[in-house]
């Protein structure tokens, strides 16, 4: 039956306010942060309605009602609301109309989506969802890690959500295959790992991507680069330089790669190769390729190296590899050295020189017995530019440096910084203070850019505080 809703205590937000409290995870920052979401956690003292939802779901199954359609009709929602009220009355559950409406929304999220995570998926300001356990769910919002009070009912509930994700793309996860990478329909990248590998229960990580990818204007507004840097990068892409974007986890390498790809002229044939499709290219002539994991028998895997070898037979003007991770680095370097100019890729590394060392290691993973000197010559002749990305302690992402690879001197790479970020201090709120500036060096690649018919004024490399 229905009862009148009790007024919420002064310390508790009113039911249905549409706000979810996030607690900052950083030490010494206990002040809650409000995020506007449609989901409301259960109010203290109102009881556990998990059993009620399970009973209603059983009735739906018994009556053969299918709520899996992408768009529910008004009749379906009304039926769900009626079954909730009837089942609650039979169970003598005290339930308010507002609670029935919330349970209807929660059940639709359970049946069609990711259950308690659906409100987070609807918040475009959240870029990462990290479920460390069924009752420890964190998000990354505006570059900061925040703890939520969202919970799964139990480990089995969390496992059902994980199973629903991986089954949609024809994969599976169980004790014999306890790890899985997947992709949601909106392009979000998913990683799941379950017991016995995860000792404290299932772990789920979702990397989300904006429906509207950031543009160069967005990065300028955020202070991630300057107009001089943007002009230089545009000319480097138009002039068909081979560019490597380097950075740590979560620094925004894919975002920068998207922005750089936006500078490619529209008439060129682009082929992208990724483990999980994340790039959002806007050009009309784009072919997107994605690797494939092995099936349950351990066969059928298609690696980036396999796709890259096939790509070379597809007459690409540009090859864009989401991230080099292994032996495909050798094939990529060979392609760059044999006429496939203007290629773009990313690598996990903390500095520009670390990025070059990582490439050398990955070339060795190809299984070719190449002398160290020969590998370095391949790298130095293939790459033109390294864009180093960083995420500072205050959560802001920016280009830390743009360096030109100018060949070798003996066995040492010749790297010269064209732009760099100079730190000047820290604000009272802990925000890193500084500015981008050109080093004053005119890069050798200017001649190559101008040879392709693009103007790059010397003023781009002048001035201390850009």
């Amino acid at each position: 039956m229905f009862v009148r809703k009790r007024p919420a205590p002064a310390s508790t937000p009113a039911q249905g306010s549409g706000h979810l409290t996030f607690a900052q995870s950083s030490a010494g920052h206990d002040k809650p942060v409000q995020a506007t979401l449609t989901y409301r956690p259960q109010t203290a003292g109102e009881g556990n309605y998990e059993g009620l939802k399970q009973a209603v779901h059983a009735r739906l199954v018994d009556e053969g009602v299918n709520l899996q359609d992408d768009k529910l009709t008004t009749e379906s929602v009304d039926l769900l609301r009626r079954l909730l009220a009837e089942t609650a009355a039979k169970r003598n559950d005290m339930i308010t109309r507002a609670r029935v409406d919330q349970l209807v929304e929660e059940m639709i999220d359970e049946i069609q989506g990711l259950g308690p995570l659906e409100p987070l998926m609807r918040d475009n300001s959240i870029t990462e969802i990290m479920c460390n356990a069924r009752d420890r769910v964190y998000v990354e919002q505006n570059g900061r890690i925040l703890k939520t009070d969202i919970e799964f009912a139990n480990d089995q509930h969390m496992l059902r959500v994980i199973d629903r994700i991986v089954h949609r793309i024809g994969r599976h996860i169980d004790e014999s295959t306890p790890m899985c990478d997947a992709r949601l329909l909106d392009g979000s990248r998913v990683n799941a790992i379950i017991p016995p590998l995860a000792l404290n229960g299932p772990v789920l990580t979702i990397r989300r991507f904006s429906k509207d990818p950031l543009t160069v204007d967005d990065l300028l507004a955020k202070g991630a680069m300057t107009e001089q840097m943007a002009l230089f990068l545009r000319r480097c892409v138009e002039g068909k330089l081979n560019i490597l974007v380097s950075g740590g986890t979560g620094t925004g390498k894919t975002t920068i790669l998207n922005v750089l790809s936006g500078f490619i002229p529209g008439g060129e044939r682009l082929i992208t190769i990724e483990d999980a499709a994340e790039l959002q290219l806007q050009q009309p002539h784009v072919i997107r390729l994605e690797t494939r994991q092995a099936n349950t028998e351990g066969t059928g895997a298609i690696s980036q190296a396999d796709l890259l070898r096939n790509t070379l037979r597809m007459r690409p003007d540009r090859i864009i590899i989401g991230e080099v991770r292994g032996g495909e680095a050798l094939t990529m370097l060979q392609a760059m050295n044999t006429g496939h100019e203007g290629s773009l890729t990313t690598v996990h590394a903390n500095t520009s020189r670390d990025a070059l060392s990582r490439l050398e290691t990955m070339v060795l993973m190809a299984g070719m017995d190449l002398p160290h000197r020969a590998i370095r010559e391949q790298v130095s002749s293939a790459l033109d530019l390294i864009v180093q990305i960083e995420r500072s302690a205050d959560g802001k992402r920016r280009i830390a440096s743009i360096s030109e690879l100018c060949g070798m001197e003996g066995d040492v790479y010749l790297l010269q910084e064209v732009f760099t970020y100079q730190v000047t201090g820290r604000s009272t709120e802990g925000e890193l203070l500084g500015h981008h500036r050109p080093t004053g060096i005119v890069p050798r690649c200017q001649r190559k850019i101008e040879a392709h018919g693009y103007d790059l004024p010397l003023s781009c490399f002048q001035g201390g505080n850009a």
Side-chain angles (χ1 to χ4, degrees):
M1 61 181 173
F2 293 97
V3 296
R4 185 178 299 277
K5 179 184 172 184
R6 297 186 300 275
S11 59
T12 304
Q15 178 69 30
S17 63
H19 287 80
L20 173 63
T21 298
F22 287 78
Q24 293 189 12
S25 60
S26 302
H29 296 80
D30 299 324
K31 185 178 179 181
V33 178
Q34 294 293 326
T36 302
L37 300 173
T38 56
Y39 176 80
R40 275 295 303 148
Q42 187 168 290
T43 305
E46 289 197 12
N48 187 336
Y49 290 96
E50 203 58 38
L52 173 59
K53 290 193 290 185
Q54 291 177 6
V56 172
H57 192 271
R59 285 192 63 181
L60 290 171
V61 173
D62 290 342
E63 296 182 18
V65 179
N66 180 17
L67 299 181
Q68 298 285 352
D69 294 335
D70 289 340
K71 293 184 179 179
L72 288 177
T73 63
T74 303
E75 292 77 11
S76 299
V77 176
D78 289 341
L79 171 63
L80 188 54
R81 184 177 286 107
R82 178 173 60 80
L83 290 179
L84 273 165
E86 290 177 0
T87 308
K90 289 180 182 179
R91 290 163 50 96
N92 293 320
D93 286 335
M94 304 292 285
I95 187 169
T96 66
R97 292 184 185 275
R99 175 59 74 183
V100 168
D101 290 340
Q102 181 184 330
L103 292 178
V104 167
E105 185 175 339
E106 289 180 10
M107 289 198 66
I108 292 173
D109 287 344
E110 290 288 346
I111 295 169
Q112 293 194 326
L114 306 185
L117 300 183
E118 274 299 309
L120 305 181
M121 297 296 296
R122 290 192 284 264
D123 188 338
N124 292 329
S125 67
I126 292 174
T127 54
E128 197 106 26
I129 300 172
M130 296 157 281
C131 307
N132 297 352
R134 66 101 186 162
D135 57 352
R136 287 187 288 132
V137 178
Y138 293 80
V139 297
E140 180 180 325
Q141 188 181 52
N142 300 321
R144 300 184 71 87
I145 304 297
L146 307 169
K147 186 179 187 302
T148 79
D149 48 8
I150 282 181
E151 296 183 3
F152 291 86
N154 47 46
D155 284 355
Q156 287 67 36
H157 183 199
M158 190 170 170
L159 283 169
R160 286 199 301 272
V161 171
I162 292 173
D163 195 58
R164 187 180 304 128
I165 291 172
V166 301
H167 267 75
R168 283 175 176 171
I169 59 170
R171 296 180 183 173
H172 76 288
I173 188 167
D174 54 29
E175 288 190 3
S176 61
T177 312
M179 293 188 298
C180 185
D181 289 315
R183 178 166 45 87
L184 299 178
L185 294 177
D186 67 356
S188 298
R189 189 173 68 197
V190 180
N191 175 268
I193 182 167
I194 65 174
L197 299 187
L199 302 182
N200 296 323
V203 178
L204 178 65
T205 308
I206 302 175
R207 170 73 60 86
R208 303 189 62 230
F209 302 97
S210 174
K211 294 179 181 178
D212 300 313
L214 293 179
T215 65
V216 65
D217 290 334
D218 295 323
L219 298 186
L220 289 171
K222 292 174 180 291
M225 67 170 77
T226 65
E227 291 185 5
Q228 288 170 293
M229 297 164 67
L231 175 60
F232 176 62
L233 290 174
R234 175 184 290 275
R235 293 294 184 255
C236 287
V237 173
E238 292 170 335
K240 291 199 168 184
L241 270 65
N242 293 319
I243 301 175
L244 177 68
V245 179
S246 167
T249 301
T251 52
K253 296 186 296 297
T254 302
T255 297
I256 295 295
L257 199 60
N258 263 324
V259 169
L260 293 179
S261 67
F263 298 147
I264 299 175
E268 298 188 25
R269 177 177 171 86
L270 316 180
I271 301 181
T272 69
I273 300 172
E274 301 175 83
D275 279 334
E278 301 170 5
L279 294 171
Q280 298 168 287
L281 275 63
Q282 306 303 311
Q283 287 86 346
H285 200 167
V286 177
I287 298 171
R288 304 173 72 204
L289 304 179
E290 187 178 61
T291 61
R292 186 176 69 188
Q293 292 182 331
N295 58 24
T296 53
E297 287 77 32
T299 61
I302 304 295
S303 67
Q304 285 198 145
D306 296 329
L307 292 177
L308 183 53
R309 283 191 291 270
N310 189 78
T311 295
L312 298 178
R313 306 184 187 105
M314 297 172 67
R315 198 252 171 236
D317 286 315
R318 309 255 188 164
I319 301 172
I320 303 176
I321 303 177
E323 180 182 341
V324 284
R325 300 173 182 268
E328 70 274 6
L330 176 59
T331 308
M332 179 197 71
L333 293 173
Q334 290 173 335
M336 289 177 173
N337 278 320
T338 54
H340 293 88
E341 297 178 310
S343 296
L344 307 171
T345 189
T346 74
V347 68
H348 268 84
N350 294 324
T351 68
S352 299
R353 288 199 176 273
D354 286 347
L356 298 175
S357 297
R358 284 267 294 156
L359 279 180
E360 293 175 19
T361 302
M362 288 186 284
V363 168
L364 293 172
M365 293 169 64
M368 301 291 289
D369 187 17
L370 293 174
H372 194 253
R373 170 80 183 187
I375 295 174
R376 290 204 160 187
E377 288 176 347
Q378 283 269 359
V379 172
S380 64
S381 60
L383 289 178
D384 297 301
L385 208 68
I386 302 176
V387 181
Q388 184 65 39
I389 316 297
E390 70 174 13
R391 182 174 64 173
S392 58
D394 58 13
K396 291 189 175 181
R397 299 172 172 90
R398 61 176 64 88
I399 293 179
S401 69
I402 300 177
S403 302
E404 183 184 26
L405 182 53
C406 302
M408 295 178 61
E409 188 173 280
D411 288 335
V412 179
Y413 292 113
L414 283 178
L415 269 178
Q416 59 180 19
E417 278 193 332
V418 183
F419 293 93
T420 186
Y421 185 79
Q422 183 174 344
V423 178
T424 58
R426 190 177 292 272
S427 71
T428 54
E429 291 80 20
E431 181 179 352
L432 205 64
L433 302 177
H435 57 263
H436 292 97
R437 65 176 184 85
T439 61
I441 295 174
V442 178
R444 300 181 185 180
C445 63
Q446 186 193 30
R447 292 189 295 272
K448 182 176 179 180
I449 292 170
E450 293 178 343
H452 278 83
Y454 296 98
D455 179 49
L456 186 59
L458 290 178
S459 59
C460 186
F461 313 107
Q462 298 169 353
N465 187 349

